[in-house]
Amino acid sequence: MRKGENFYVLDTMASNFTWASVGEALSRDGVVVLRNLIAAEAVNTVAAAANRILSKPSLLGSVGYYRKGYTKRMYDPLLLGAPTPEIVLENNILDVVTEYVGGECWLAECTLKHDEGSDELYFPMHSDFAAGSTWIQREGNPVISAELMQRRFGVGAMMYLHDTTDGAFCYAIGTHTLGAPHGSSLNRYPQPMRSQIEAATVRIEGCKGDVVLFDDRGFHGPEQPVTVQRTVLIWDFYERKAFKDRTKTPIPVLPTDLGRLNQRQLSWLGIGADGPMIPYDLYHMRGFDKTPHYRTVRRVIELLQRWDMLKVKLRRIRNRLFPRRKPNAAMDYSE
């Protein structure tokens, strides 16, 4: 893996910056970083809201992070409120993605993710797509074809919520044109090809507020194992026709924030789509009930609620058996 490079960074405030260069970098390398695209105030607002959410778990409807295991915490970031939806659906990004894939897209998924720095490899290098793959076996869901893998149809995005080096996003430069011939998992590739992909991998180091765009077909993933924590916004855009006009999964958003978006941004949220490929309740982020600890936590909560109920009943019995005597009314000695 290559580290300490910055050829992938394009400063949107630089005098020689052009939006055409963003598409060129994506086409050539499969990845690009946009610096100074999002105002610092907006980035700081989102980062502060993310820190608050990540400080406590969601229990029985309380607002907080989700978990499937000890390696990471997650949340639906559009529920953080403004300006998160405007960042995820930033108009220049929509233009770049549309030009790159050749058509309008859906916002496929959106996640606030905090990696705990558990010093484990739990999310290895991978391609998001491979011929024959689908996310969930469900009637009407499209299966990725070898022909589709030869064209652009998906762009991933990420925004760092703090300066990030160790544990940063990594991308194998140029692998978006390979077509993932041996599947989406790098571990299944012949050793010579795997070595080439690993040699092409660059750690995409960034500053707080940097936005990473990448072709989902290329091999990518966070640097692991590491002992440092990392917090990012991650989202994805899928070209509509490639998936039969279906979104990947419904994305929750606060209705009061919708008025800040234009008609195109609202459309990209999924309004008018022909249904989701993954139902809201089956999306991986909501999978704590599939873990071994779910029954234990559920049982503990139920016992606590029963204990509260028992205390109320015992208080009522006590009051019936030992009613409190009302104090005598004060006598009036005034003339």
Side-chain angles (χ1 to χ4, degrees), residues 129-140:
F129 305 104
S133 64
T134 186
W135 296 284
I136 184 171
Q137 297 295 332
R138 191 165 178 253
E139 185 178 355

Side-chain angles (χ1 to χ4, degrees), residues 226-240:
V226 292
T227 58
V228 298
Q229 299 183 353
R230 185 193 74 161
T231 306
V232 294
L233 286 182
I234 304 175
W235 65 101
D236 248 305
F237 300 111
Y238 292 173
E239 198 268 325
R240 299 181 186 185

Side-chain angles (χ1 to χ4, degrees), residues 7 29 56 75 89 95 107 126 134 161 262-263 273 315 329:
F7 67 89
D29 301 325
K56 54 186 179 180
Y75 189 67
L89 296 165
D95 289 340
L107 178 62
H126 62 280
T134 186
L161 294 182
N262 59 39
Q263 288 301 312
R315 189 179 302 118

Side-chain angles (χ1 to χ4, degrees), residues 27-38:
S27 299
R28 180 185 65 247
D29 301 325
V31 64
V32 65
V33 170
L34 301 177
R35 183 159 292 168
N36 294 316
L37 174 64
I38 309 300

